[in-house]
Amino acid sequence: MENYARFCKPLLTRALVSIGLDKTYHRASGNFLYYKDEQDQEIPVLDLLGGYGATLLGHNSLLIRERIKHYLDEEIPVHNQFSIRKPAAVLAERLNELLKEETATSGDFVFCFTSTGAESMEVALKSVEFTRNAELVALEQEVAQATAKINGESVIALTDEQCQQLQLEEKASAQDIQRALTAFNQSRLDSKPTFLALEHAFHGKMIVTANCTHGTMYRDYLKRLKINTYFLSTEKLSEFVEMGEKANDILNGWLWLPQEENDRIILTKKKFRTVAALLIEPVQGEGGVYPLSAEQVSGVNQLKQIIRCPIIADEVQAGSGRCGFLVASSDVGIHADYYVLSKALGGGYAKIGVVAIRQESFTPGFDLIQSSTFGEDDFSCRVALDYINLLHADQRQLLKQVTQLGEEFKVRLHALKEDYPDIIRDVRGKGLIWGVEFHDVDDSDSYILQNIAVQGSLGYIISGYLLCGSHIRVAPSGSAANVIRMEPSVFLELRDIVRFVDELAKVCLAIRHANAGFIVAPILGKLNQSTPADYRSREVGQQNGSAANYKAAFINHLISADWLREVDPSFSIFSDEELESFVESTSFNLATKPFKPARISSVNGQSVDFTLYPIPVTSKMIKAALAQNDLARLRHEIDVRIAQAVESGNTVVGLGMFTSIITNNGKSVKNNQIGITTGNALTVGIGIEALQRSTSHRDITQMRLAVIGGAGNIGRVYAEILGPQYQEMVLIGSNNQGSVRKLNEVKYHIYQYIYEQFIVNKQPLMGGLAQRIVDCLALMPDDDFISQFNEGKTSIGEAIDHYLVQHYPDQVFIHISQSISDIEHSDVIVCAANASEAFISVDQIKRDAIVCDISVPHNLSDDDLRNRPDIKILRGGIVQTPHHDSLDPRVRAYLGEGQLYACMTETILLALEQHKDNFSYGNISTHQVLDIMAIARKHHFTLSDIKENSSL
Ligand code: PMP
C-alpha cells in the first residue's frame, strides 16, 4: 500500500483507507475477488462493481479463457500494424451484421478500433469534426468563389444591418466590401465546434471527453483549453425542440454568401453546422445511473432533425450486453449515427473499444489519419469476437439472462425502497446496471452523518460498510456520491442478490436510526450488533422560532478523538484507539457542517445565535502540524469556514483553541469581511479574575508573584494587571536574544503605570508593590526626580527603575530573570510561556503555591502535578451566561449548563456590541483586556468557575 501511495495515487490511497476500501486483491474468479486478511486468510468478496461494467461474464471467465490459451499457444500476432488485419475485419463484419439487425437498418457501418472507452469516444468526436471540417472546407470554397466575383463594376446592395456587421462606411468600395466580407465569413467559419451533451453525462477523462462530461470536477481545470460544450437538461432539451428552426439559429452558425440577383449582388444568410455532435448514453452510468427517459429520447431524436447533427451513442458502459442488447440505444429508440463500445466488449480480458460509424456519416480519409498502436490488435479483436458470439449464442441466451436477472434486481430494490422511502430516494437501472440513490443525510440527528453528507461521501461510506462488514463490493457513481452502483455479472446467483439487499436494508435502518457508528464499525474492524440501535434525538422542533439579533461564529476542533462519543452518541461503541484511528483516517476530507446554533442572550435582552464551525482534527494532530510547520491545509480549512460564516450573516468569528495559534493569532486569516477575534483578551481577563478569586482569602500584598513568559503577549498583560498588587514580582523570560530587553520594557511600563495611577492620579493604594514604590519615591529629596534621572534619555518607568536600583539596592521590586529556578520562592506563578511541551519541574515550586497555567500546550504537565497535590492548579476561568444559556450538550466538552469559555464569550460580546473590526488580533494589550471585561460586566457575563482541567 505504501508504494501505491508513494508512487501511484497519494491522495486516492488516503481516501480508500478512510472508507476501508484499501484492499489488495490477489485473485479473481467468477463473481468474486479475493484478498488476504491480517491472518493471511483468503476472503472472498462478492463483486457487484464488475470492473465498472467490464466483467459481464464475471472475472476470468472460463468460457473465454480456453480460447485465450489457445491464441497464446498458437502465437497469434499482436503487433502487426500496417497490414491487412483479418481478425479486425472478421470482428467488424460480425458487429456490422448484429448492429444492422438490432438497430433495424439496412446500411453498413465502418468500424474504428481502439483500446479504451474514453479513447473510443475521443475518436468518435474527432471523426464528427473531421466530417464537419470537410463540409466547412467545401463551404469555404463556395464562399471564396462567390466573393471573388465582386469587382469594381459590381452593384452591391447591402442592408444597414450588413453594413454594421461588416463595419463598412456608407461609401465603401467593392474592394473594401470584398475584404470585410472575407474576414467576417472566415472568422465565422473558424469558430469552435459545439458538442452537445446531457446533464449527468459521462464520456471519459481525456481532454475533449472530460469537457463533455457533466461533473465539473473533471473539466473545470481544463477550462482554458476552451472546448465548447453545452449541457442540456431535460427542460432545455424540450425548450429547444419547441423552438424548432429557431434552435438551429441559436445552436448553429451562419455567414453572408454573396449572390447575384437582378444585376446586383446581395448577401444572403447561409447556415452551417457548428454543432459537431449530440452525445448521449442510453443509461448514464457514472453520472448516477439514469436511463434515458422517453421524454429525453424523443427530445434527442427531434433535436437531431432540427439541427442536423450526428448523434453519438456512448455505449461504453451500457452496451456490449450490459443492458441485454449489443447497443442499449436500440431498445430505447435512439437512432444514432455513431455507436461506441468498450469495457465488456473485451470479455473481461482484452482492452478494446470500437467506434461504429454509419457508412453515410463516415468521411473517407479519417481512416488514414486515425490509428493507435494497440487499436485493431489481433488478440483483442479475437477475444471480442468470442465474447460477442457468446452473448448471441443459442438465440441470444445470455442477453436474455441479463434481462431476467435485471428484473430480480429491480423487484427487490424497489421493495427495499418501499420499506425505506425516507432513506432511499430512487432506484434506477436497466439490465444489469442498477443504482440506488439515497436521500441526503444532512439533517440526520447524527452529526457524523451530517458531515458525511457535507463531504459527499455517503455512497463511499456505505461501500466501505458493505465491503468490510459483508464482503460485498459496490461503489458510488463518481459524479453522484449518494448513488451506489451495481454492475454484476450475468452469472450472479439469486441468493447473492438476496444477501446484498438484506445488507442494504441494515444500512437503511442504521441511517434511519441516526446510527453512524453502525455503518462505520466494520470499517474500523469492529463487529456490529445484528440490528442498529436507535439514536434518534427525542428533541421536538426548534427551541425558538424567531431570529436572534446577531450572529457569531466560532471555529473549534476536537480536544481529542474520544470527544466524538459526546458529539455523536452512536460512536459510544468505539474505544479511544478506534476513534483516533477514525479521525486520523477520515482527515483526508475535513469538510463539516456548522453545528446548529446556540442562542445566547445578554441581560439587556439582545441575543446572538452562536454557531460552531468545527474542524474534525484533534489537538494532537494540530500539534503535529505545528511541529512540522505544515499549516497550509489547516489555515485553508479555517479560511473556508470563515467564508461560510460570512455568507451565513455572522458579523464576528472567534478562533477557538489551537486555531488562534495556527493563524498567528488571526493574522494569517485572509477574509476581511468579518471581525476576527482569538478571544484572548477576555480569556486573560477572566483568568485574572479566577486567580484573584483563588487568592482572595490570602494577603497578596505580602506575596511573591512569578510570571513565566513575562515578556510574551499574554504574560505581559498578567504582569501589568497583577504585578502592582503583589509584594514583589519576578518576570522570567526565555534565553532568546532580546528577551531581557523585552522584560525590562514590561518592568518600566509597570513602574510608569504605578506612577501615573497612584502619584499623578492619586488613586487609593492597597499595599503591595505599588505602595512600596510610591513610598520610596515619596522619600525623594528633590520632588523633581524625573527630570534629574530622565535627562531626556529615558522613560519615566526607566527613570524610576534607576532610582530604585540606586537607592534601594537590597530590595526586590520587579526582578528580571532568564532562569526558571527563580520561581522558587514564589507564592503565585503564572505560566504563559510559549513552548511546545511542558518544561517546568514541580520540584522547583514552593509548597502550597497557586499556579495559573494558561499556556497551550501547558508549561506544567498534568502528570507531574498529580505528584504535588499541595499545588493549586488553575487553567483559567469559565464564564457564566446571564440567562443560563448553554451550548448544545453534545459540544459542551467540560462546560456545565449556563457556562461558556471566555474566548467564546468574547466572540458573543463583540457581536452584541456590533463591533465590526478585529478585536483580539495579533498581540493583545492590557487596555483591551480591561475594555472587554467592562463589556462583559455590562452584559452580565461573569466568572462562573475556576477552570482546573486541561480543557483548552
Ligand atoms: N463513456 C462512458 C459512458 C463510460 O461509462 C466510461 C467509463 N466509465 C467511459 C466513457 C470511459 O471509459 P474508459 O474508462 O475505458 O476510458
Side-chain angles (χ1 to χ4, degrees):
M1 182 167 81
E2 260 163 43
N3 281 347
Y4 188 59
R6 186 164 162 210
F7 299 118
C8 304
K9 300 262 187 182
L11 273 188
L12 183 81
T13 307
R14 285 186 62 188
L16 291 177
V17 169
S18 75
I19 46 173
L21 297 191
D22 53 329
K23 306 283 185 265
T24 300
Y25 298 101
H26 62 279
R27 197 161 76 82
S29 175
N31 292 317
F32 292 89
L33 279 163
Y34 298 84
Y35 73 89
K36 291 208 171 132
D37 69 8
E38 276 156 21
Q39 287 76 41
D40 213 32
Q41 285 271 331
E42 190 173 68
I43 307 290
V45 170
L46 177 69
D47 185 17
L48 299 184
L49 185 54
Y52 291 114
T55 56
L56 189 61
L57 301 179
H59 293 278
N60 284 312
S61 160
L62 269 180
L63 303 166
I64 303 281
R65 198 187 328 169
E66 289 309 313
R67 306 282 304 166
I68 288 181
K69 280 184 181 164
H70 173 73
Y71 298 144
L72 296 180
D73 290 343
E74 288 280 292
E75 295 187 340
I76 62 156
V78 177
H79 294 292
N80 46 341
Q81 297 92 336
F82 223 59
S83 65
I84 304 300
R85 304 184 91 173
K86 190 169 168 199
V90 176
L91 173 61
E93 186 189 11
R94 179 74 173 128
L95 284 171
N96 186 51
E97 177 195 359
L98 291 169
L99 262 182
K100 281 169 68 175
E101 192 183 315
E102 217 180 75
T103 60
T105 44
S106 53
D108 281 340
F109 289 83
V110 178
F111 295 86
C112 193
F113 291 105
T114 59
S115 305
T116 69
E119 185 198 353
S120 312
M121 280 302 293
E122 204 87 8
V123 167
L125 296 174
K126 286 201 307 178
S127 172
V128 289
E129 184 58 3
F130 187 85
T131 299
R132 197 182 76 95
N133 178 64
E135 289 168 16
L136 294 187
V137 169
L139 178 60
E140 213 173 318
Q141 277 167 7
E142 183 187 345
V143 178
Q145 274 167 17
T147 312
K149 287 189 185 150
I150 299 175
N151 58 39
E153 269 109 72
S154 305
V155 180
I156 311 163
L158 297 182
T159 64
D160 288 348
E161 183 201 359
Q162 288 164 346
C163 283
Q164 229 172 28
Q165 279 172 352
L166 298 175
Q167 293 178 338
L168 287 168
E169 305 277 317
E170 222 173 285
K171 297 213 159 24
S173 69
Q175 213 182 12
D176 290 339
I177 294 172
Q178 204 175 31
R179 212 180 296 127
L181 194 56
T182 305
F184 179 86
N185 285 340
Q186 198 57 49
S187 83
R188 300 226 131 197
L189 286 166
D190 288 345
S191 62
K192 287 173 181 303
T194 308
F195 299 99
L196 298 181
L198 302 184
E199 219 171 42
H200 306 300
F202 183 92
H203 296 294
K205 296 182 184 172
M206 291 189 176
I207 290 179
V208 187
T209 46
N211 269 289
C212 295
T213 287
H214 191 222
T216 47
M217 67 176 163
Y218 298 122
R219 65 185 152 91
D220 256 7
Y221 71 104
L222 296 170
K223 62 181 180 228
R224 286 163 206 87
L225 292 167
K226 303 203 186 316
I227 308 283
N228 233 352
T229 349
Y230 194 111
F231 293 98
L232 298 166
S233 62
T234 310
E235 297 73 45
K236 197 77 209 171
L237 184 59
S238 333
E239 220 176 278
F240 276 134
V241 168
E242 267 164 39
M243 280 182 199
E245 195 48 30
K246 193 149 172 267
N248 193 21
D249 292 341
I250 294 172
L251 293 168
N252 277 323
W254 58 268
L255 46 68
W256 288 123
L257 184 70
Q259 273 188 329
E260 285 177 40
E261 189 195 77
N262 304 333
D263 298 335
R264 298 180 318 162
I265 291 182
I266 57 159
L267 301 183
T268 55
K269 243 182 202 174
K270 172 93 179 171
K271 294 185 185 175
F272 66 91
R273 211 151 60 76
T274 38
V275 177
L278 171 53
L279 285 61
I280 62 109
E281 293 154 89
V283 178
Q284 294 177 318
E286 185 76 10
V289 190
Y290 290 97
L292 271 193
S293 67
E295 190 186 352
Q296 283 173 312
V297 169
S298 134
V300 164
N301 284 335
Q302 289 181 69
L303 190 61
K304 173 194 155 103
Q305 297 306 322
I306 295 167
I307 59 176
R308 294 175 281 279
C309 73
I311 292 179
I312 300 176
D314 181 346
E315 300 263 358
V316 168
Q317 190 155 168
S320 307
R322 171 81 28 213
C323 293
F325 300 88
L326 180 60
V327 288
S329 318
S330 62
D331 184 49
V332 171
I334 295 257
H335 185 82
D337 305 273
Y338 284 65
Y339 295 97
V340 181
L341 298 172
S342 185
K343 294 204 188 223
L345 183 64
Y349 289 96
K351 296 169 188 126
I352 182 167
V354 66
V355 185
I357 310 169
R358 282 185 193 282
Q359 196 77 257
E360 61 271 24
S361 301
F362 178 76
T363 304
F366 185 65
D367 52 322
L368 284 181
I369 53 148
Q370 171 55 38
S371 70
S372 73
T373 305
F374 288 97
E376 291 188 353
D377 75 276
D378 286 21
F379 174 82
S380 301
C381 289
R382 282 179 188 240
V383 174
L385 181 65
D386 293 334
Y387 172 73
I388 292 294
N389 285 338
L390 200 68
L391 281 188
H392 291 83
D394 303 327
Q395 273 122 29
R396 306 172 75 250
Q397 175 51 35
L398 273 185
L399 290 172
K400 286 179 194 156
Q401 210 167 306
V402 167
T403 309
Q404 281 158 13
L405 201 60
E407 273 305 300
E408 295 291 344
F409 260 92
K410 183 174 174 178
V411 169
R412 284 176 164 75
L413 290 175
H414 276 285
L416 186 68
K417 180 175 177 290
E418 294 271 293
D419 290 343
Y420 293 96
D422 50 329
I423 307 299
I424 296 180
R425 175 183 277 165
D426 203 4
V427 167
R428 298 182 292 264
K430 188 179 168 74
L432 284 178
I433 172 167
W434 284 93
V436 174
E437 181 174 357
F438 290 82
H439 281 290
D440 253 336
V441 287
D442 60 348
D443 269 339
S444 169
D445 284 343
S446 154
Y447 186 61
I448 298 284
L449 278 177
Q450 288 181 19
N451 284 344
I452 285 171
V454 168
Q455 294 174 356
S457 56
L458 182 63
Y460 292 94
I461 276 287
I462 293 173
S463 305
Y465 167 87
L466 289 172
L467 179 62
C468 300
S470 322
H471 303 139
I472 297 175
R473 188 171 134 93
V474 296
S477 286
S479 306
N482 277 8
V483 179
I484 57 164
R485 184 170 32 153
M486 284 72 67
E487 298 189 67
S489 97
V490 64
F491 302 117
L492 190 70
E493 298 193 27
L494 201 56
R495 60 172 180 196
D496 288 328
I497 302 182
V498 172
R499 181 161 80 88
F500 164 64
V501 175
D502 282 352
E503 284 303 325
L504 212 51
K506 283 190 203 161
V507 173
C508 291
L509 192 59
I511 296 176
R512 181 183 279 171
H513 284 177
N515 192 339
F518 186 88
I519 303 174
V520 169
I523 299 174
L524 295 181
K526 200 175 182 78
L527 277 181
N528 251 331
Q529 309 225 303
S530 55
T531 47
D534 195 346
Y535 285 98
R536 276 173 289 185
S537 125
R538 308 275 168 248
E539 215 175 89
V540 206
Q542 276 264 308
Q543 44 162 345
N544 192 342
S546 63
N549 300 87
Y550 309 111
K551 284 182 171 182
F554 192 79
I555 302 180
N556 65 335
H557 58 83
L558 284 163
I559 298 171
S560 51
D562 49 315
W563 285 99
L564 278 180
R565 290 192 206 104
E566 303 284 322
V567 175
D568 192 321
S570 75
F571 267 40
S572 54
I573 56 167
F574 297 121
S575 67
D576 287 359
E577 292 71 36
E578 285 163 344
L579 290 173
E580 204 153 318
S581 142
F582 173 80
V583 176
E584 287 276 351
S585 68
T586 52
S587 66
F588 160 75
N589 187 339
L590 293 178
T592 53
K593 192 175 170 182
F595 213 83
K596 84 171 196 251
R599 177 76 49 90
I600 313 284
S601 303
S602 157
V603 73
N604 70 14
Q606 302 249 290
S607 59
V608 174
D609 267 350
F610 180 67
T611 306
L612 297 180
Y613 287 75
I615 306 180
V617 289
T618 59
S619 309
K620 190 169 141 196
M621 289 159 78
I622 301 187
K623 277 189 211 169
L626 267 167
Q628 286 160 21
N629 199 14
D630 179 18
L631 298 176
R633 181 160 180 241
L634 289 170
R635 286 181 172 176
H636 169 74
E637 290 295 329
I638 291 168
D639 285 333
V640 166
R641 280 160 180 78
I642 293 178
Q644 284 174 353
V646 170
E647 200 164 310
S648 305
N650 292 278
T651 56
V652 53
V653 59
L655 298 172
M657 306 160 82
F658 274 98
T659 67
S660 56
I661 297 173
I662 56 180
T663 53
N664 208 354
N665 285 325
K667 286 179 132 180
S668 79
V669 168
K670 301 222 169 68
N671 204 306
N672 56 9
Q673 296 171 47
I674 190 167
I676 290 163
T677 190
T678 59
N680 280 344
L682 194 61
T683 301
V684 170
I686 287 286
I688 287 173
E689 233 179 270
L691 187 57
Q692 282 169 336
R693 188 185 286 182
S694 310
T695 53
S696 59
H697 57 288
R698 303 205 210 167
D699 182 7
I700 58 168
T701 62
Q702 298 304 316
M703 286 169 30
R704 175 179 156 104
L705 170 71
V707 180
I708 302 166
N713 175 28
I714 305 245
R716 185 172 46 83
V717 178
Y718 267 86
E720 285 176 4
I721 295 179
L722 291 174
Q725 305 169 23
Y726 282 74
Q727 167 78 6
E728 60 184 52
M729 174 163 68
V730 54
L731 295 176
I732 302 175
S734 68
N735 288 319
N736 295 346
Q737 233 195 350
S739 161
V740 170
R741 182 183 48 77
K742 283 193 200 153
L743 289 167
N744 272 318
E745 273 166 19
V746 177
K747 177 166 70 171
Y748 302 153
H749 199 254
I750 294 172
Y751 288 163
Q752 177 177 343
Y753 171 81
I754 290 173
Y755 173 77
E756 284 169 0
Q757 289 293 307
F758 303 105
I759 296 181
V760 178
N761 294 334
K762 301 203 173 5
Q763 296 281 326
L765 280 155
M766 319 275 275
L769 192 60
Q771 178 86 58
R772 288 177 56 214
I773 292 174
V774 170
D775 290 349
C776 291
L777 296 181
L779 295 176
M780 286 252 319
D782 183 347
D783 203 31
D784 194 15
F785 70 95
I786 295 158
S787 59
Q788 275 188 36
F789 285 96
N790 196 4
E791 288 170 0
K793 289 198 197 108
T794 60
S795 65
I796 302 171
E798 191 171 353
I800 294 172
D801 187 45
H802 286 182
Y803 176 79
L804 293 174
V805 171
Q806 252 182 31
H807 292 86
Y808 302 92
D810 302 333
Q811 288 197 36
V812 176
F813 298 92
I814 296 178
H815 175 57
I816 300 296
S817 165
Q818 286 183 295
S819 165
I820 199 70
S821 61
D822 273 334
I823 61 172
E824 231 172 10
H825 304 296
S826 305
D827 308 282
V828 174
I829 302 166
V830 172
C831 305
N834 196 353
S836 58
E837 54 189 27
F839 68 97
I840 303 174
S841 152
V842 283
D843 300 341
Q844 293 164 314
I845 298 177
K846 190 176 165 181
R847 273 204 76 73
D848 297 324
I850 297 175
V851 176
C852 175
D853 186 1
I854 30 97
S855 50
V856 178
H858 298 318
N859 292 169
L860 264 164
S861 86
D862 285 335
D863 283 348
D864 282 358
L865 283 165
R866 267 190 273 283
N867 300 326
R868 286 288 305 271
D870 60 298
I871 297 175
K872 183 172 170 61
I873 182 80
L874 225 118
R875 301 285 193 198
I878 292 172
V879 175
Q880 175 72 51
T881 55
H883 292 292
H884 243 76
D885 299 323
S886 315
L887 297 182
D888 185 300
R890 287 173 290 176
V891 288
R892 271 186 213 162
Y894 295 102
L895 296 173
E897 193 135 336
Q899 292 185 329
L900 290 175
Y901 289 119
C903 49
M904 295 174 166
T905 311
E906 179 172 313
T907 312
I908 292 163
L909 290 171
L910 295 175
L912 282 169
E913 291 288 303
Q914 280 299 283
H915 185 92
K916 293 280 184 299
D917 301 326
N918 300 335
F919 194 78
S920 296
Y921 179 83
N923 286 351
I924 55 161
S925 64
T926 300
H927 74 82
Q928 265 179 319
V929 173
L930 299 174
D931 284 354
I932 197 75
M933 291 293 286
I935 295 172
R937 275 194 295 279
K938 171 177 155 192
H939 292 279
H940 282 214
F941 287 80
T942 54
L943 171 67
S944 160
D945 217 345
I946 293 175
K947 205 165 71 162
E948 290 173 7
N949 292 322
S950 316
S951 58
L952 270 186

